[in-house]
Amino acid sequence: MPLTAFAGSLDSNVPVRWVRPWAGHTSAGFRLRVVPGGHFFPYENPASVLEPIGAALEEVR
């Protein structure tokens, strides 16, 4: 199963380097999306998460 992980570029709780190892949990492809914001980036900038998810759903339709 391919995985897409999101990380906030300014997140001091879960830095981007901690998110990259998720790539080891799949052999079907991994995408890391680093978006503006801190730990609560989905609330700070919802479009940074919703737009890529919507585009991915359109691909599988």
Side-chain angles (χ1 to χ4, degrees):
M1 176 69 76
L3 293 176
T4 299
F6 290 84
S9 61
L10 302 174
D11 189 342
S12 59
N13 294 333
V14 183
V16 174
R17 71 178 185 278
W18 291 4
V19 179
R20 283 191 183 100
W22 276 94
H25 293 278
T26 183
S27 60
F30 176 78
R31 179 182 289 172
L32 173 60
R33 292 190 177 266
V34 180
V35 298
H39 190 68
F40 294 103
F41 64 86
Y43 296 106
E44 297 166 14
N45 185 2
S48 69
V49 177
L50 295 176
E51 288 174 5
I53 291 172
L57 291 173
E58 285 295 322
E59 289 176 16
V60 297
R61 248 171 121 209

